[in-house]
Amino acid sequence: MDLCNLSVIKSVMADAGISFRKEFGQNFLTNRIIPEDIADNCADNPESLIIEIGPGIGCLTQELALRYKKVVAIEIDKGLIPVLGKTLAEYDNVTVINADVMKVDLAELVREYSDGMSVSVCANLPYYITTPILMRLLESGVKFSSITVMVQNEVASRLSAKAGSSDYGAITAVLGYYGSVRRLFKVSAGSFIPQPKVDSAVVRIDLYPEPKYSLKDEALFRSLIKAAFEQRRKTLINAVSSKISGVTKEKLISALCELGFDERIRGERLSTDDFASLANLLAE
Ligand code: SAM
């Protein structure tokens, strides 16, 4: 069954007596090539466990099931669970869980299903909650090999931006701590039903197997980035010094000087490496 076919989507939903739920960010793919491309590119090892967030009626799920050893799909909308039972009936390597990805115990779920496999995440994310989901995955403590997600085009630009560019933001700097980000391809708004207002893009994050930096105080590193971008037009010193207790102007000037930066620099010019070095100097 082509689960990206518009008439199939409509009839499957009509049969189940359900309609698209805006509050769950339901924009389903209608162009078969897209889930094929995403599934082709989301993991390197066919023997992987893939965690999918938001299977919808299962168009990406079936492509994942064809390529990888095991798929666990987490769907919040209980109205879609019986639908998925039918659309994915022929794939015995898929488990669908009715849960909110923001509440599910990811570490426990991976322990239950991974059986020594490498684990990747793949999703056409609901746009209302993209960044919280990404942060939850990254902070879960699970050693994902990669996270491949479709997000709004402008969010994709932010996630993959270079330090100093206008798209660079707090999420970009934090992401750099966990892994390297690649923008894979753009997807036009016309590839979904209902059609969103903006285009989308797929990004892949390859997680570092071990942390790239040895941070003396991870909370300080995060607070520095948060404060720097809350007032990104201010100099780093002015944006940060009143916000984090114990981090005085004098300490910041001396740390920036030791790193070879002008004391008038703005936080948006610092890379993840720079924030890590600065946080370590300030933690001393
Ligand atoms: N994968 C399908 C596709 O590509 O056509 C649907 C993608 S749609 C953009 C997002 C999906 O995520 C919907 O099925 C929605 O119900 C589900 N969803 C939204 N919030 C969720 C949450 N917090 N936890 C799990 N699933 C969620």
Side-chain angles (χ1 to χ4, degrees), residues 200-255:
S200 298
V202 180
V203 293
R204 172 167 161 164
I205 307 164
D206 283 285
L207 283 308
Y208 301 128
E210 296 302 328
K212 192 175 172 198
Y213 314 99
S214 139
L215 290 172
K216 291 180 181 148
D217 182 345
E218 199 174 321
L220 174 60
F221 165 76
R222 287 174 183 284
S223 308
L224 262 181
I225 293 176
K226 187 164 177 270
F229 285 95
E230 264 169 5
Q231 293 172 287
R232 64 185 292 158
R233 295 283 145 220
K234 286 191 171 182
T235 64
L236 179 76
I237 289 178
N238 285 335
V240 165
S241 58
S242 56
K243 290 283 171 62
I244 306 173
S245 72
V247 176
T248 60
K249 274 193 175 176
E250 293 67 35
K251 274 190 173 178
L252 276 163
I253 291 171
S254 131

Side-chain angles (χ1 to χ4, degrees), residues 3-4 9 21 23-30 35 38 52-61 74-77 80 97 99-103 123-129 133 150 192-193:
L3 298 174
C4 284
I9 298 174
R21 295 188 62 175
E23 73 271 31
F24 290 148
Q26 290 180 352
N27 302 96
F28 294 172
L29 279 162
T30 55
I38 299 175
E52 188 194 4
I53 300 158
I57 67 161
C59 70
L60 174 58
T61 325
I74 305 168
E75 173 56 60
I76 195 171
D77 183 355
L80 286 169
I97 295 174
D100 178 347
V101 71
M102 295 305 289
K103 295 190 181 143
N124 170 12
L125 282 183
Y127 295 158
Y128 74 101
I129 194 176
I133 291 180
M150 176 139 63
F192 302 86
I193 180 168

